Amino acid sequence: MLQFDRNLLEKYNIAGPRYTSYPPATFFHEEYGNENYKESVILSNDEKPENVSVYVHIPFCPQLCTFCGCTTYTGMGQSTIEKYVDVLIEEIELVSQDVSKERKLTQVHWGGGTPNAISADLIRKVTNTIKANFNFADEYEMAMECSPAYLDYDMVDQLRDMGFNRISLGIQDFKKEVLTAINRRPAKVPVDEMVVYLRKIGFTGINLDLVYGLPFQTQESFKETVAEALAANPDRLVTFSYAHIPQVISRQRMLEQYGLPTPDEKISMLEDAYNMAIEAGYVAIGMDHFARPDDEFAIALDEKKLHRNFQGYCTRETTGQVYGFGTSSISQLFNAYSQNEKTIKKYMERVESGGRAVVRGYRLSQEEQIIRQVINELMCNYYADFKQIASDFNVDVDKVYAAVEFAEEKVQSFMDDGLLNIENDAFTVLGQGRYVIRNIAMAFDPALKKGKGQYSKTV
């Protein structure tokens, strides 16, 4: 049974990047624009991974959740939503012209916002455009993040007919008091019944998302929520830690009127979730994900082939370089990152006038690409083999050490605490090191000294 060393967690509970990208998005700059992105897309055709991933951002929500930090809008009329979809299609058609048709599309991910809150006809319109402009692999993943408050059997039938085969349900919590506090509605169809139906019609990798650290949650109430989620028998379960950063996301201030669980209470919630998931037969993935042993995430972790991008964990077989479409979407190419305009108005104006809506981005040097791989390997697989990484980049292993500006004193504390082992140029995260993995990754990040951005606490 897992029990956290509270002194250890307190020692390492400092602010730091989440490392969904490297360098973090705080390093993106406005000197990188449309022409830079076009050039980056063309270069990406000769870089690895060869596979193509597509991200589609739908920024509309019937109502805004007060804890959420995503780029979303509420109260938009149907005409605005339809126009947005038409503009989104324009962007897909333009950018895809520079993506080699010899490359296979292996992953499509819809996020938001609430993608399932727009009509199935509009979803089909965009999906047909993606199919017409990219070369789908025989085995592909097409997933959507859905709010169960707006999901019924007819919608999932239509999604399956379009070719969707993965789905993630944003439960957050089953308790009405918690949902009311974060301005979220309960599920339209009972979650356990929906999971059974999704599996029946051919969905795999069915994922349930929970969030701990919200108003009115207690250790006991969250145990009940986790138990209910596990009883629904999903393929994957995620227990996200709520990051309270009202100085960045102003609507989060509304939650302070109710009070929030203490850091120690949050750790107890994570402990309980971990122990309950493991007891139910799940494998721990990363800091807060759990998967059934036969799920591809668990298999990838066992083979040290787990990967992740802005959309979350994935396998090296299914992931590709990510081409993002829609407001605020981020493209993650081997050589660069690019982010679109965040406001609907500016995004639509720019696409209609010039075809692209890049507002900022970042071009990576080879050293930064090496650092990115080191941090990715540590974050995903708890293991980074510097010799293998050197081979991947066709450089000497000393170049890897130099890129991360390695010094033993940077990791000595983790070694002393039994959280990290170094042997034959391979770094292995041990025991409870996975729960301070962001701190360990920070020891390999030379860019931290530049001090850009505000980050949430690591624990």
Side-chain angles (χ1 to χ4, degrees):
M1 179 173 285
L2 174 70
Q3 186 166 20
F4 290 113
D5 183 331
R6 297 299 202 270
N7 293 328
L8 202 65
L9 295 184
E10 186 176 342
K11 174 181 177 179
Y12 292 112
N13 193 19
I14 61 173
R18 286 182 176 265
Y19 291 119
T20 47
S21 73
Y22 184 84
T26 50
F27 282 74
F28 297 2
H29 55 79
E30 295 180 1
E31 286 75 30
Y32 184 103
N34 284 345
E35 289 308 309
N36 302 101
Y37 180 51
K38 179 179 173 67
E39 178 187 358
S40 294
V41 170
I42 293 169
L43 283 172
S44 72
N45 290 317
D46 297 315
E47 295 173 326
K48 292 185 177 181
E50 293 92 346
N51 292 344
V52 173
S53 292
V54 164
Y55 173 70
V56 177
H57 190 77
I58 302 297
F60 307 109
C61 286
Q63 60 188 60
L64 295 183
C65 299
T66 46
F67 77 96
C68 179
C70 299
T71 300
T72 61
Y73 296 87
T74 187
M76 293 291 179
Q78 185 63 22
S79 61
T80 300
I81 295 172
E82 290 177 0
K83 183 179 179 183
Y84 176 84
V85 166
D86 287 340
V87 172
L88 180 66
I89 286 170
E90 280 185 49
E91 186 192 13
I92 293 169
E93 290 176 339
L94 181 73
V95 174
S96 64
Q97 291 175 16
D98 293 324
V99 179
S100 170
K101 297 300 182 286
E102 294 181 8
R103 299 171 63 197
K104 298 286 189 180
L105 186 149
T106 52
Q107 184 184 50
V108 181
H109 189 98
W110 288 59
T114 309
N116 64 301
I118 68 172
S119 72
D121 287 343
L122 292 178
I123 295 170
R124 190 180 295 274
K125 197 173 178 182
V126 176
T127 299
N128 287 343
T129 301
I130 295 170
K131 290 179 177 178
N133 288 277
F134 291 95
N135 182 15
F136 273 63
D138 292 336
E139 297 291 328
Y140 68 87
E141 172 183 308
M142 187 147 64
M144 180 177 284
E145 298 172 13
C146 292
S147 168
Y150 313 103
L151 194 66
D152 56 23
Y153 294 127
D154 178 63
M155 174 60 88
V156 295
D157 282 341
Q158 295 203 55
L159 291 176
R160 189 72 189 98
D161 181 63
M162 294 175 213
F164 284 85
N165 51 22
R166 289 274 163 90
I167 209 157
S168 179
L169 300 180
I171 309 299
Q172 321 319 357
D173 198 293
F174 289 105
K175 307 294 183 184
K176 186 176 181 181
E177 188 178 34
V178 177
L179 295 177
T180 300
I182 62 174
N183 198 35
R184 196 171 179 88
R185 296 178 186 174
K188 195 171 187 178
V189 175
V191 171
D192 56 346
E193 295 177 18
M194 179 57 78
V195 170
V196 169
Y197 188 73
L198 287 168
R199 194 166 279 131
K200 177 184 174 183
I201 63 174
F203 281 87
T204 59
I206 301 166
N207 184 86
L208 301 185
D209 286 346
L210 304 178
V211 175
Y212 64 93
L214 297 173
F216 300 115
Q217 285 180 331
T218 64
Q219 183 179 358
E220 192 56 40
S221 80
F222 193 65
K223 281 176 70 173
E224 292 171 359
T225 285
V226 172
E228 189 169 344
L230 290 170
N233 193 31
D235 299 300
R236 301 167 186 167
L237 177 68
V238 185
T239 54
F240 289 116
S241 171
Y242 167 59
H244 189 61
I245 42 175
Q247 68 274 21
V248 178
I249 305 164
S250 59
R251 61 175 171 254
Q252 290 186 345
R253 289 196 182 94
M254 297 173 66
L255 300 183
E256 294 174 357
Q257 64 183 305
Y258 306 114
L260 296 166
T262 66
D264 191 63
E265 288 171 330
K266 286 182 68 179
I267 291 170
S268 295
M269 290 176 192
L270 178 57
E271 274 178 345
D272 290 336
Y274 178 95
N275 290 322
M276 292 170 72
I278 298 303
E279 189 176 337
Y282 288 76
V283 174
I285 305 288
M287 290 168 36
D288 42 27
H289 288 55
F290 304 92
R292 293 212 162 277
D294 58 351
D295 185 86
E296 64 180 19
F297 282 5
I299 295 168
L301 175 62
D302 185 58
E303 297 175 350
K304 294 184 171 58
K305 292 182 179 178
L306 194 64
H307 188 65
R308 72 183 211 156
N309 53 34
F310 275 107
Q311 287 77 64
Y313 286 102
C314 47
T315 69
R316 287 184 185 153
E317 283 71 24
T318 56
T319 193
Q321 296 184 69
V322 180
Y323 302 80
F325 299 99
T327 58
S328 78
S329 66
I330 296 177
S331 297
Q332 291 179 279
L333 309 182
F334 182 79
N335 67 79
Y337 300 106
S338 170
Q339 184 169 26
N340 277 350
E341 287 278 6
K342 286 192 173 184
T343 70
I344 292 176
K345 185 173 184 291
K346 286 184 179 178
Y347 165 76
M348 293 197 298
E349 286 174 352
R350 291 191 60 187
V351 172
E352 288 181 309
S353 63
R356 292 176 181 82
V358 175
V359 68
R360 60 185 189 140
Y362 192 88
R363 181 73 188 269
L364 284 81
S365 66
Q366 186 186 58
E367 286 74 19
E368 289 168 326
Q369 291 165 354
I370 291 171
I371 299 165
R372 174 176 60 187
Q373 186 161 335
V374 169
I375 289 177
N376 272 344
E377 294 295 341
L378 288 169
M379 294 286 293
C380 295
N381 299 303
Y382 313 121
Y383 177 82
D385 184 340
F386 278 23
K387 287 179 181 174
Q388 181 59 54
I389 293 169
S391 175
D392 291 344
F393 283 90
N394 196 28
V395 297
D396 189 87
V397 70
D398 290 342
K399 183 77 179 283
V400 180
Y401 280 98
V404 299
E405 296 182 10
F406 180 76
E408 195 160 308
E409 57 263 28
K410 291 182 179 180
V411 297
Q412 191 63 53
S413 177
F414 304 117
M415 295 169 67
D416 292 343
D417 289 330
L419 306 177
L420 185 70
N421 181 60
I422 308 173
E423 188 174 349
N424 296 327
D425 298 311
F427 295 74
T428 304
V429 178
L430 306 172
Q432 295 195 18
R434 69 165 58 197
Y435 294 101
V436 294
I437 191 64
R438 287 165 65 185
N439 302 75
I440 294 173
M442 287 161 66
F444 296 85
D445 180 2
L448 268 183
K449 60 192 176 190
K450 296 179 182 177
K452 291 189 178 183
Q454 300 181 64
Y455 302 114
S456 62
K457 293 287 188 73
T458 57
V459 178

